[in-house]
Amino acid sequence: MKNYNTDKIEAFKQEHKNRARLLISCPDQPGIVAAISQFLSGYQANIIESNQYSTDPHGGEFFTRIVFELDDLSNKAEQLEADFQQVKDQFQMEVSFQYVNQIKKMAIFVSKEPHCLLELLWEWQSGDLVADISMVISNHETSREFVERLGIPFYYIPANKDVRKQVEEQQIKLLKEHDIDVIVLARYMQILTPTFVGTFNQQIINIHHSFLPAFIGAKPYERAYHRGVKLIGATSHYVTNDLDEGPIIEQDISRVDHRDNAAAMKKIGQSVERSVLARAVKWHLEDRILVYGNKTIVF
Amino acid sequence: MKNYNTDKIEAFKQEHKNRARLLISCPDQPGIVAAISQFLSGYQANIIESNQYSTDPHGGEFFTRIVFELDDLSNKAEQLEADFQQVKDQFQMEVSFQYVNQIKKMAIFVSKEPHCLLELLWEWQSGDLVADISMVISNHETSREFVERLGIPFYYIPANKDVRKQVEEQQIKLLKEHDIDVIVLARYMQILTPTFVGTFNQQIINIHHSFLPAFIGAKPYERAYHRGVKLIGATSHYVTNDLDEGPIIEQDISRVDHRDNAAAMKKIGQSVERSVLARAVKWHLEDRILVYGNKTIVF
Amino acid sequence: MKNYNTDKIEAFKQEHKNRARLLISCPDQPGIVAAISQFLSGYQANIIESNQYSTDPHGGEFFTRIVFELDDLSNKAEQLEADFQQVKDQFQMEVSFQYVNQIKKMAIFVSKEPHCLLELLWEWQSGDLVADISMVISNHETSREFVERLGIPFYYIPANKDVRKQVEEQQIKLLKEHDIDVIVLARYMQILTPTFVGTFNQQIINIHHSFLPAFIGAKPYERAYHRGVKLIGATSHYVTNDLDEGPIIEQDISRVDHRDNAAAMKKIGQSVERSVLARAVKWHLEDRILVYGNKTIVF
Amino acid sequence: MKNYNTDKIEAFKQEHKNRARLLISCPDQPGIVAAISQFLSGYQANIIESNQYSTDPHGGEFFTRIVFELDDLSNKAEQLEADFQQVKDQFQMEVSFQYVNQIKKMAIFVSKEPHCLLELLWEWQSGDLVADISMVISNHETSREFVERLGIPFYYIPANKDVRKQVEEQQIKLLKEHDIDVIVLARYMQILTPTFVGTFNQQIINIHHSFLPAFIGAKPYERAYHRGVKLIGATSHYVTNDLDEGPIIEQDISRVDHRDNAAAMKKIGQSVERSVLARAVKWHLEDRILVYGNKTIVF
């Protein structure tokens, strides 16, 4: 099926057909950068952008993200990866080659509140979010109309804790059938089981509100209001089995004051959620994020 | 004793000798603003600035801060306050008249880390913080030199939990002798007892770091680093008997990223603490803050 | 014709049927606030929100914006305004009563770049921008599809400097027929004549990029790039006959760095334009802006 | 003479005695990063931090800043630089080795307004600005007292356009005698001649206020106020012979509103100037800035 953005995405793929991103992590030691850059130089690859970081130059962990271009990349990719095996072994690297014209397949999960879904669709329409939005899955019908209007399949799967197992089986089947690369929980208010989370490790991105101080439990906006907080925040993170405790990708805040009641704070909070989630998803699609322990390196 | 800023403060007092701030809170109902403004109008007072807020126009609490000028204010103040009693009674108001040329007497408490103290002294030197800094009290000698260099008395009072009672008695005696109006805890790392807090209700301002999410307990910066937080914050609040849970006056954050280790985060956190505390103290000195329940209205 | 938001707007009108905004400017003198608040108090009106500002309490200009509620407002409005004439005369006031349930009729002008138009439509869909978007006028067909999809009439009026007079006559006719209250130039790249501007005084809102320093003339992003600017800004203002020199409503900036080439800077600039224009339009719709000389008071 | 920070700086030098920064620019082509990193790897140098940027991977200019550590650096530095000549020649590089323990010698020029000077001294006292502040030169006596109190020599050199030549000769003599590396114009309100500027190419850092739009000429704050600007900014740049037109290092803004008169705007502007200048100077001291044409690359 041809959706709203098919043409734009084809153009993007054509434009970036010779571009790849190389993500590496390994124990830090002298010579890593020399080995990688010499390897790419030997292939006549042109480094477009390069970032590196070490937790500690003496015995820490080394991370790098290198964007390069190579003529006739699609025909050379297999050999390139095979040849790199030697460098990889020498430095005990975790390596990932990402080819920019292989557009990531994305599924968006949403419940009733549409603000985060709408933001993602907006960024996608304007070309700032380059993804193949393969489906929207929701436990409510609310968002069907404007999702389908854009030519994106919409799956209504009612959910609650009694049918969680069956619901997740149905969802996993759908996601597998469409080779989904990344799942965005755009205010999806159902708990995911370890089975689901384990099936999509470091592929699920969530968004939730955040406060200073935290107001854990029910009615956080009410309580934030009664404490007179001056900042409302949002946090986007990868989903792990510790509820809302996975590696943080991005955070931001917005100022509030005494004139903002709990409802106004909620609205402001939703606005922060929109932009924080959109940035996190964008960085993921651009392969900017490396996960290390329970934290992220964002290049 | 004549300190560094004596001349500046005298000039300020002279310039504002006819200026007052009127702070009011009462149950909201129609006619409050009319009554107040009519009263001031009858005195030929000129309203310079006025702010109001109601938690709910239907049965909520009403707050206002009015700055006005009145010729020959010092001679008329007593009569003015007496005459206002009628309006006060009619609307069951909490009322406070603050005369701008009565400079507030401030005591600063500090332990080892001088960054917040230095910021306050800097703002005071530059004329942005108009106060009579009557003393600095510390449980360390670290800051004596640069405090005394500015002509401000420095009291070294060693403290720990075993001598808390005696230490606080000594402190309260000093504070009372000098008619201190406001106490700023500029990273003073001793717990205050309910006796001390109760003696200076809504007169003690504290500063502490804040995170999203919160990292309660030991080594917060270490743990924030390992979670990969992207924001470091600070909160300034009035001190109540609930540790760090009093009404929030001001908060702010600064961005950090994966390159910032725990030490760098701490430095960034200190920088946020400096500016947040300075703003909170400034607003207090300008009578901009009304406390309602456990929250503040900052006009 | 029923457009996308008709139901939402009806609900809003019903909810605010007793709410009005009173905007006043006059020479400052004692007694103004007393007179206004006493007048409203006599009508049993409940003041919800009130802001005031004086350029100088001694002989300056006084401005206020008061939001109030009054039972059965629609039936009392005429008498209310008539009775207020006395206060108005006494203080030589400019007065405007705005009734919140009288939704403003808005026309959006756009050329090729749709980013500002899309932002306004987004904010309107989400209920943050309460207006009756009566039409979109464009000198290009680019935006027709998504405008009409929302049920908003789209008028394609080709324009260039040779036919400016006829084009504007056609536009003015359309705008008058639909009683348009406010015209938003959402990147409309045609110059407006004094005739057009004079017909809609303080009713036309424009947006343009801004730099520090300014790069006046052609290719500003190219030149900003070659100067290595670190900030890209946008300014929204009321349109007067001095090109881009009318009263500023709102401004904002976004950081850029050496990695952003002219194209990237332009994209960032468009993002700032979106949010700055949306805020300016929102404030106008909420009657928050008073114009004084060539500046605005935004309450 | 021993000044306030002598001990801190000695500790810093000891801590960083094996650390260097390598700054390179050259025409971009494949193999540059490989050659540099292989060279450093051959010396067993450990790369701590590395940044690179290319204006265009196809025929653009390449820039890099590499921080590395090397045991016994002081004894190896000469040989290292000599050996690097080959890489330098191969790629036609501009190369600079900066040794972190060679603290830069700084002179601060100031006229009457002390806010920028005070900020620099504050950052220097707190250890955030690592420099040898060798002197303050002023055409006013205003700042002598607090400069000398910190053990920093203060030179009063009255200046005006009639004696410009003699004044600059005297200044240049002083600066040369003390091997000054960087000159900071902390609100020094005298024009510098091409002779002076040419003597210290890319070594002079200036700060000035900036507006959107620009208000060139006299009384900018007055005019900004009457236009109702919402942002006040500041720009720090290297000084060239085009007045205030040199490569921009850093910019920032602060929000203002209609309540801020010209005096308040000026105060806010000074606060922005303080922080913008401090950041620019810090980046210069850390060798983070490369100049290319009329723009800067800030790593």
Side-chain angles (χ1 to χ4, degrees), chain B residues 13-27:
Chain B
K13 286 168 69 170
Q14 190 55 30
E15 189 185 342
H16 295 88
K17 66 177 195 294
N18 287 327
R19 186 167 293 199
R21 301 170 189 140
L22 173 54
L23 304 175
I24 294 169
S25 65
C26 63

Side-chain angles (χ1 to χ4, degrees), chain D residues 70-81:
Chain D
L70 182 53
D71 282 349
D72 197 20
L73 178 62
S74 60
N75 287 320
K76 293 176 185 163
E78 200 179 346
Q79 190 61 44
L80 187 82
E81 295 202 33

Side-chain angles (χ1 to χ4, degrees), chain B residues 76-92:
Chain B
K76 294 177 184 161
E78 200 178 345
Q79 189 61 44
L80 187 81
E81 295 203 33
D83 290 354
F84 197 71
Q85 187 67 38
Q86 195 194 334
V87 181
K88 185 178 162 181
D89 291 345
Q90 183 188 349
F91 293 95
Q92 296 164 275

Side-chain angles (χ1 to χ4, degrees), chain A residues 212 225 227 246 250-251 255, chain B residues 212 227 246 250-251 255:
Chain A
L212 308 92
Y225 169 72
R227 181 74 200 286
E250 172 62 336
Q251 303 185 295
R255 295 193 80 83
Chain B
L212 308 93
R227 182 74 201 285
E250 172 61 335
Q251 304 186 294
R255 293 193 80 83

Side-chain angles (χ1 to χ4, degrees), chain B residues 118 145-146 149 267, chain D residues 1-14 103-104 106 108 118-134 146-153 285:
Chain B
L118 284 169
E145 193 190 333
F146 61 77
R149 200 190 289 156
K267 194 153 199 169
Chain D
M1 181 183 173
K2 192 167 150 47
N3 71 28
Y4 181 90
N5 262 14
T6 308
D7 294 346
K8 267 193 211 167
I9 284 174
E10 279 312 309
F12 179 91
K13 286 168 70 170
Q14 191 54 30
I103 304 298
K104 287 188 175 54
M106 188 157 96
I108 304 175
L118 284 169
E119 182 72 15
L120 294 173
L121 295 178
W122 159 277
E123 296 280 348
W124 175 76
Q125 283 177 266
S126 71
D128 286 331
L129 216 68
V130 182
D132 173 353
I133 302 186
S134 309
F146 62 78
V147 168
E148 292 188 338
R149 202 190 289 158
L150 295 165
I152 300 170
L285 294 174

Side-chain angles (χ1 to χ4, degrees), chain B residues 264-279:
Chain B
M265 282 187 181
K266 188 170 180 180
K267 194 153 199 169
I268 290 164
Q270 291 178 336
S271 172
V272 184
E273 286 171 3
R274 279 165 53 180
S275 54
V276 168
L277 180 61
R279 284 205 291 276

Side-chain angles (χ1 to χ4, degrees), chain B residues 191-251:
Chain B
I191 288 169
L192 301 176
T193 68
T195 303
F196 190 98
V197 172
T199 309
F200 302 100
N201 188 31
Q202 290 179 18
Q203 292 179 284
I204 313 175
I205 297 173
N206 190 26
I207 182 75
H208 63 75
H209 47 58
S210 301
F211 300 90
L212 308 93
F215 294 95
I216 294 158
K219 299 203 172 186
Y221 285 105
E222 278 292 334
R223 288 154 65 215
Y225 168 71
H226 286 296
R227 182 74 201 285
V229 301
K230 308 301 181 194
L231 304 177
I232 295 289
T235 297
S236 183
H237 62 97
Y238 285 113
V239 176
T240 60
N241 284 316
D242 289 327
L243 181 67
D244 288 350
E245 294 287 328
I248 295 171
I249 303 170
E250 172 61 335
Q251 304 186 294

Side-chain angles (χ1 to χ4, degrees), chain B:
Chain B
M1 181 183 173
K2 193 168 147 48
N3 71 28
Y4 181 92
N5 262 15
T6 307
D7 294 345
K8 267 193 211 167
I9 285 175
E10 279 310 310
F12 179 91
K13 286 168 69 170
Q14 190 55 30
E15 189 185 342
H16 295 88
K17 66 177 195 294
N18 287 327
R19 186 167 293 199
R21 301 170 189 140
L22 173 54
L23 304 175
I24 294 169
S25 65
C26 63
D28 200 2
Q29 57 171 286
I32 300 171
V33 177
I36 302 168
S37 51
Q38 209 176 340
F39 174 85
L40 290 173
S41 176
Y43 257 90
Q44 298 296 318
N46 205 351
I47 296 177
I48 305 294
E49 198 185 332
S50 152
N51 286 282
Q52 65 174 81
Y53 166 70
S54 176
T55 58
D56 185 346
H58 310 283
E61 187 80 5
F62 171 91
F63 304 88
T64 193
R65 174 186 185 265
I66 295 167
V67 183
F68 63 88
E69 286 203 342
L70 182 53
D71 282 349
D72 198 20
L73 178 61
S74 60
N75 287 321
K76 294 177 184 161
E78 200 178 345
Q79 189 61 44
L80 187 81
E81 295 203 33
D83 290 354
F84 197 71
Q85 187 67 38
Q86 195 194 334
V87 181
K88 185 178 162 181
D89 291 345
Q90 183 188 349
F91 293 95
Q92 296 164 275
M93 290 171 170
E94 297 282 326
V95 173
S96 164
F97 282 88
Q98 298 285 332
Y99 300 97
V100 179
N101 75 339
Q102 292 176 12
I103 305 298
K104 287 189 174 54
K105 289 180 204 302
M106 188 158 97
I108 304 175
F109 282 44
V110 67
S111 290
K112 271 192 184 164
E113 293 182 3
H115 58 283
C116 284
L117 170 63
L118 284 169
E119 182 73 14
L120 294 174
L121 294 178
W122 159 276
E123 296 278 349
W124 175 74
Q125 284 177 265
S126 72
D128 286 331
L129 216 68
V130 182
D132 173 353
I133 303 185
S134 309
M135 66 184 71
V136 170
I137 292 179
S138 182
N139 54 335
H140 294 275
E141 285 281 15
T142 330
S143 305
R144 179 185 293 276
E145 193 190 333
F146 61 77
V147 168
E148 292 188 338
R149 200 190 289 156
L150 295 166
I152 300 169
F154 180 91
Y155 297 97
Y156 169 53
I157 307 180
N160 61 59
K161 65 180 167 52
D162 300 329
V163 295
R164 188 154 293 150
K165 195 162 170 294
Q166 301 90 307
V167 162
E168 288 195 350
E169 281 168 3
Q170 193 180 347
Q171 291 169 341
I172 291 172
K173 189 162 171 288
L174 261 173
L175 297 165
K176 289 288 184 193
E177 278 173 10
H178 289 82
D179 289 322
I180 295 299
D181 295 300
V182 55
I183 298 160
V184 181
L185 307 181
R187 301 300 288 157
Y188 182 67
M189 308 310 283
Q190 296 287 318
I191 288 169
L192 301 176
T193 68
T195 303
F196 190 98
V197 172
T199 309
F200 302 100
N201 188 31
Q202 290 179 18
Q203 292 179 284
I204 313 175
I205 297 173
N206 190 26
I207 182 75
H208 63 75
H209 47 58
S210 301
F211 300 90
L212 308 93
F215 294 95
I216 294 158
K219 299 203 172 186
Y221 285 105
E222 278 292 334
R223 288 154 65 215
Y225 168 71
H226 286 296
R227 182 74 201 285
V229 301
K230 308 301 181 194
L231 304 177
I232 295 289
T235 297
S236 183
H237 62 97
Y238 285 113
V239 176
T240 60
N241 284 316
D242 289 327
L243 181 67
D244 288 350
E245 294 287 328
I248 295 171
I249 303 170
E250 172 61 335
Q251 304 186 294
D252 209 347
I253 56 98
S254 190
R255 293 193 80 83
V256 294
D257 68 27
H258 59 265
R259 288 168 299 188
D260 299 304
N261 59 20
M265 282 187 181
K266 188 170 180 180
K267 194 153 199 169
I268 290 164
Q270 291 178 336
S271 172
V272 184
E273 286 171 3
R274 279 165 53 180
S275 54
V276 168
L277 180 61
R279 284 205 291 276
V281 170
K282 190 160 186 260
W283 295 341
H284 179 93
L285 294 174
E286 295 174 353
D287 305 304
R288 295 190 175 280
I289 314 171
L290 286 131
V291 175
Y292 174 61
N294 202 32
K295 60 181 293 190
T296 61
I297 318 298
V298 181
F299 284 127

